[in-house]
Amino acid sequence: MRIFIYPGSFDPVTNGHLDIIERASKICDKLIVAVLVSHNKTPLFSMEERTDMLRRVIKECNCTNVEVECFSGLLVDFVKKKNANVIIKGLRAVSDFEYELQMALLNKNQSPEIETLFMMSSINYSFLSSSMVKEIARYNGDFKGLVPECIVEDIADKFGIKEPKGEL
């Protein structure tokens, strides 16, 4: 069985993340979207909120071979625990590649049997990040087309927005 891990903070999940999830799920038997418990970042959404949003998004996109789990610690340890051997990383730009290459090489040094597969984001989402979504929402800008429809209200509620701007 080919089990892939797609790690990230997903704070919140964006349409760019969803694009990678849908595409990666087509090339493996099981994809585990692994939500990172980060000790270096203070997320806007709690772990429970992030995993709940991801589960709703995945249910709507009908990706039947995708699961959502949380993890902390070393990614390679989580990958081994799940009997996976491939880490999926989404890339938007050259700047992403430099950081992700370093991480992939570190992971390879720790566990040579684990491969990292880089997937370029769709051109439609190459500019998109969770940080940008939060910044737009913070000032009540139009973020509706940047995230899956089923989590628009979660983001609006977090920022106290009564009626989010924009069209879906």
Side-chain angles (χ1 to χ4, degrees):
M1 179 182 253
R2 294 170 302 156
I3 302 171
F4 292 6
I5 307 289
Y6 178 35
S9 57
F10 306 103
D11 185 38
V13 60
T14 69
N15 285 335
H17 293 128
L18 181 57
D19 174 58
I20 298 293
I21 291 168
E22 289 175 334
R23 290 170 40 218
S25 71
K26 293 176 184 172
I27 59 173
C28 62
D29 299 308
K30 178 166 49 169
L31 176 66
I32 300 172
V33 179
V35 184
L36 173 65
V37 177
S38 177
H39 302 287
N40 299 330
K41 292 182 180 178
T42 304
L44 177 65
F45 292 93
S46 71
M47 178 59 62
E48 294 77 21
E49 290 170 321
R50 289 182 282 153
T51 55
D52 175 64
M53 285 188 289
L54 272 162
R55 286 187 178 117
R56 285 186 282 136
V57 165
I58 288 164
K59 185 177 180 183
E60 283 203 357
C61 78
N62 203 25
C63 296
T64 57
N65 64 334
V66 179
E67 299 174 3
V68 178
E69 294 193 33
C70 317
F71 82 99
S72 64
L74 293 176
L75 176 57
V76 292
D77 291 340
F78 180 77
V79 171
K80 289 178 194 174
K81 179 180 167 189
K82 294 300 171 183
N83 295 315
N85 61 355
V86 175
I87 298 168
I88 296 287
K89 297 301 264 179
L91 299 177
R92 294 169 299 201
V94 173
S95 56
D96 286 346
F97 179 74
E98 188 173 338
Y99 173 77
E100 295 299 349
L101 176 62
Q102 283 183 313
M103 295 305 297
L105 293 173
L106 278 170
N107 290 336
K108 194 70 161 165
N109 179 267
Q110 294 289 305
S111 297
E113 71 280 9
I114 297 174
E115 296 293 341
T116 299
L117 176 62
F118 295 114
M119 295 187 85
M120 297 306 302
S121 67
S122 164
I123 195 160
N124 299 332
Y125 307 116
S126 61
F127 63 90
L128 185 54
S129 71
S130 295
S131 298
M132 290 178 185
V133 169
K134 289 184 282 193
E135 190 69 9
I136 293 166
R138 179 173 282 112
Y139 296 104
N140 196 18
D142 179 5
F143 63 89
K144 282 187 175 180
L146 306 178
V147 298
E149 183 178 350
C150 66
I151 68 162
V152 166
E153 290 301 320
D154 297 82
I155 297 167
D157 289 347
K158 193 60 89 168
F159 287 101
I161 300 168
K162 302 243 185 283
E163 290 195 37
K165 294 179 182 176
E167 300 286 323
L168 289 174

